[in-house]
Amino acid sequence: MSTASRLPGIVTTDHVFQVPLDHQAPEGEQIEVYAREVVASGREGDDLPWLLFLQGGPGGKANRPVGRDGWLVRALDDYRVLLLDQRGTGRSTPATRQTLARRGGARQQADYLAHFRADSIVRDAELIRRRLLGADGRWTLLGQSFGGFCTLTYLSVAPEGLREAFVTGGLAGLRSSADDVYRTAYPRVARKNSAHYARYPQDVAAVRRIAAHLIETPAQLPDGGLLTVRAFQALGLMLGSGSGSHALHHLLEEAWVEGVDGPELSDTFLAGVQAQLSFAGGPLYAVLHESIYGQRSVDVAGTRWAAERVREEFPEFDAEAALKSGAPVLFTGEMIYPWLFETDPALQPLRETAQLLAERTDWPDLYDPERLAANQVPVVAAVYHDDMYVDTADSLETGRAVQGLRAWVTNEWEHDGLRASGGQVLDHLIKMARGEL
């Protein structure tokens, strides 16, 4: 049964759908997928086209609107929006250390989670489309980051369900292996570090002091997690958003207090670090992160903790070496490392499961280059020139490989431009799709 709610400027309706865990076995185990319909107040009865939003991630639930805000300000002018909690996230049958424990051992958990990639998400969306719009109905797709990866899979698997597609910061390399992804990512992250330290030169010494302390004495976080120097470096994930550099600086400003026995890391700092690093609210991001790149035609040996292996090619990210040489200590970025499953209490029970997924070699291909080359669905994409998370060269190459795709390359926004722009990025893409730009 659907449940409707009224919030400032919008009306939302809850939907819950039963979908197969394995779409190749539709009569087998079923899971729930939740979606929230959003329409502008007063337009509930209007015959509006549907827009499906696929959130970034992997493992990220859809945004929770509290009114007509953010990019919804623009979207609701023209569309009835469906915010999908991708399988395993939010109110869709959740996949966490608590729920996965009921499935048995690590092998059973890994086999279960193998059904939580973009191909399954797209097939969920297709079932939902037919139930909401009918077999012949088509909707617009908006894919942010990983949601853009899913959009490319959608165009490869079921383009007949789409009337148009918008992508923001999410054109993946069609044939980029996990190693390729991280080999281009580390230099981008290094440039973000340089920009941060140029903006806040005082942070060079501040970061070196904290790193030196953590090498000698790792700190315990409020949730019992362990803050090692490598975990501290992982705060660089913040540098990929428009305001992240400033937020990181403000966090560092409150790192120390004078305790009974001298200076110590403050509770305020440790709580802020935990808020950034803990995967308790979204463990699938860590467990499935490298799996989103796995394709049997590309990663024939599995992803095998690519971020960790490739890091050895970039010694400038070695904190101890930086401290000895007098160089700035560099933060890392959107990388998932195996040691995270030792330091984060939310991930510790999933360590062996994640290892099995990293070793998996039979991932099906996610994209069909031939079908994309013959694409007939109008596609427009925002490519953020300075994007820390998605390689610009990969994005532009993919843009050329998808027939009819029009790319808007901009350095006005970072990876979070869809959210941060308050509807400006989406408005630009809509105007491009309509031929107004």
Side-chain angles (χ1 to χ4, degrees), residues 189-208:
V189 175
R191 291 194 293 272
K192 291 295 184 183
N193 274 270
S194 296
H196 175 79
Y197 285 136
R199 184 178 299 116
Y200 294 111
Q202 65 270 42
D203 284 1
V204 174
V207 170
R208 285 176 56 83

Side-chain angles (χ1 to χ4, degrees), residues 49-52 122-123 125-130 132-142 151 153-165 371 375-378:
W50 285 80
L51 182 147
L52 171 67
V122 166
R123 291 184 173 93
E126 271 297 275
L127 285 179
I128 293 169
R129 177 187 64 83
R130 289 193 289 271
L132 288 179
L133 282 69
D136 298 327
R138 295 185 300 158
W139 54 14
T140 294
L141 182 57
L142 171 59
T151 301
T153 302
Y154 213 135
L155 292 167
S156 298
V157 172
E160 64 277 6
L162 303 178
R163 61 194 295 265
E164 60 188 350
R371 198 164 192 184
N375 171 63
Q376 296 299 310
V377 177

Side-chain angles (χ1 to χ4, degrees), residues 375-392:
N375 171 63
Q376 296 299 310
V377 177
V379 185
V380 288
V383 176
Y384 303 120
H385 187 271
D386 299 319
D387 198 328
M388 189 179 81
Y389 300 115
V390 180
D391 186 61
T392 303

